[in-house]
Amino acid sequence: MIESFLSRTKSRLSSFKSATLVVALALSGSISGQVKSPLPQSSPSGRGGSSTESAVTSGDLLWKKLDARVGERVERFDGVMGVAIVDLTDGRAISKNADHIFPTASSIKIAILLELYRQDKEARAGAQAKAKLDDVYNFDPKELVEFSQIMAGLTPGVTRVTNRDLAQFMVAVSDNTAANILIDRVGKDNVNAMLRGLGLTKTMLRRKMMDFAAARRGEENVSTPQEMTRLLEAIYKGKLLNKELNLQLIKQLSTLKESYIPHDLPAGVQVANKPGNLQNVRTDSGIVFVKDRPFAISVMTSSARDERAAEHAISEIALEAYRYFELRGKSPH
């Protein structure tokens, strides 16, 4: 009887071990066709994305979360808001009202800066009648307009500055007189031709700074969040300049300044950006150089009931984007 009991027990233990082995193999996916992944298959959205055989990665889920949070912030905004965020590593983008046309305010100065550097490159190659970074300007107080913190303090008949200096004033403190002098020197039509050459059809420099009569006539400087990020992407990729000039431009555009994109970011993060503001309008567009995962961002607002709330919203969205790209920069590629 004992031998029979032991035999039956041994048989049951053998069956239990076999069943345990089958379950273990099934859970590890070793039994072909028995277990399907519980995660749906997906390919990353965005420009130039290709299909992938892998399941949704944590990066994809974080991207979707960022997309959702940006969408919620746009919907909550008391006014009109457009957002474009472009991953400069893989090209995928988040777009919320990104094709809507907004006044650029001083963010249009990015285009003026790029045209100045582009003409300097052509002048170095021997082209005539092009603006150069080292061209000298003799200060004339008759050219002063409002919000010209640096130019208004120069000495008439004495102070001489270069186009590079004017560009620095324009970027660092958004000096409007400096911007207007550069518009005269590079040519408004040349700025717009450069933009068209990049395929940007909605971005237009139509007037000088502080020319509100022109604005009332409908000659406002305008763009879209999508086109502003495409302009920044062209700068990042050096599409119009050689490496030396491109590095100089990005360094100048990265000058620390009072602006919305970097406001809530950790100290020391390089941001090449240019904000803008008009009545009920706040904008900021720039490249955020997150380690190993840089991105371009443009947030544009109009009809803002609360201008401070608009500024805070831009900073909030930039921080959300930064957190995503910082995590992606630390993850294996």
Side-chain angles (χ1 to χ4, degrees), residues 231-249:
L231 176 62
L232 292 163
E233 190 173 9
I235 290 172
Y236 176 76
K237 293 181 176 179
K239 288 187 176 181
L240 296 182
L241 306 174
N242 58 40
K243 186 175 181 180
E244 177 193 354
L245 283 173
N246 211 58
L247 288 173
Q248 287 182 33
L249 183 152

Side-chain angles (χ1 to χ4, degrees), residues 37 39-44 51-57 60:
S37 169
L39 296 174
Q41 299 297 309
S42 172
S43 61
S51 62
T52 176
E53 295 179 359
S54 65
V56 176
T57 65
D60 292 319

Side-chain angles (χ1 to χ4, degrees), residues 126-330:
Q128 300 299 309
K130 300 295 181 182
K132 298 187 287 293
L133 285 164
D134 292 332
D135 285 344
V136 174
Y137 166 75
N138 294 298
F139 174 58
D140 183 351
K142 293 178 183 178
E143 296 186 277
L144 284 173
V145 296
E146 290 181 83
F147 302 107
S148 301
Q149 297 95 315
I150 299 297
M151 298 295 289
L154 302 184
T155 306
V158 176
T159 305
R160 303 171 76 231
V161 295
T162 65
N163 283 345
R164 183 186 279 103
D165 297 328
L166 292 170
Q168 185 66 15
F169 303 158
M170 178 179 74
V171 169
V173 295
S174 207
D175 192 294
N176 285 324
T177 299
N180 286 348
I181 294 165
L182 288 176
I183 290 172
D184 285 339
R185 291 190 155 199
V186 302
K188 177 166 62 72
D189 291 342
N190 290 329
V191 173
N192 289 322
M194 177 271 294
L195 292 167
R196 299 298 166 271
L198 291 172
L200 308 180
T201 60
K202 297 176 181 177
T203 306
M204 302 178 194
L205 174 64
R206 290 169 165 163
R207 65 170 179 85
K208 288 185 175 181
M209 306 302 116
M210 309 310 292
D211 186 352
F212 295 120
R216 285 192 293 272
R217 293 193 301 269
E219 299 170 12
E220 187 56 273
N221 300 323
V222 294
S223 186
T224 69
Q226 183 190 60
E227 289 205 355
M228 288 303 293
T229 54
R230 288 174 62 191
L231 176 62
L232 292 163
E233 190 173 9
I235 290 172
Y236 176 76
K237 293 181 176 179
K239 288 187 176 181
L240 296 182
L241 306 174
N242 58 40
K243 186 175 181 180
E244 177 193 354
L245 283 173
N246 211 58
L247 288 173
Q248 287 182 33
L249 183 152
I250 289 173
K251 181 181 179 182
Q252 190 161 54
L253 196 56
S254 300
T255 300
L256 291 176
K257 62 187 79 70
E258 188 175 331
S259 54
Y260 317 127
I261 289 173
H263 189 271
D264 294 340
L265 303 188
V269 176
Q270 182 185 355
V271 181
N273 72 308
K274 186 68 193 75
N277 68 78
L278 292 168
Q279 186 175 5
N280 305 120
V281 170
R282 293 292 187 272
T283 70
D284 204 353
S285 299
I287 303 166
V288 181
F289 289 88
V290 178
K291 188 178 185 323
D292 296 326
R293 204 79 187 196
F295 67 97
I297 179 171
S298 177
V299 185
M300 307 182 76
T301 70
S302 62
S303 304
R305 289 184 183 273
D306 184 337
E307 293 170 345
R308 289 294 179 89
E311 296 167 6
H312 178 70
I314 296 172
S315 300
E316 193 176 62
I317 290 170
L319 180 58
E320 287 282 358
Y322 171 82
R323 286 170 173 163
Y324 165 80
F325 285 99
E326 184 191 32
L327 282 172
R328 288 309 309 270
K330 292 177 179 177

Side-chain angles (χ1 to χ4, degrees), residues 69 113 238:
R69 286 180 174 172
L113 184 70

Side-chain angles (χ1 to χ4, degrees), residues 113-134:
L113 184 70
L114 179 56
E115 177 59 16
L116 170 62
Y117 274 79
R118 190 193 69 80
Q119 289 195 23
D120 184 81
K121 184 193 75 170
E122 292 192 351
R124 294 185 187 196
Q128 300 299 309
K130 300 295 181 182
K132 298 187 287 293
L133 285 164
D134 292 332

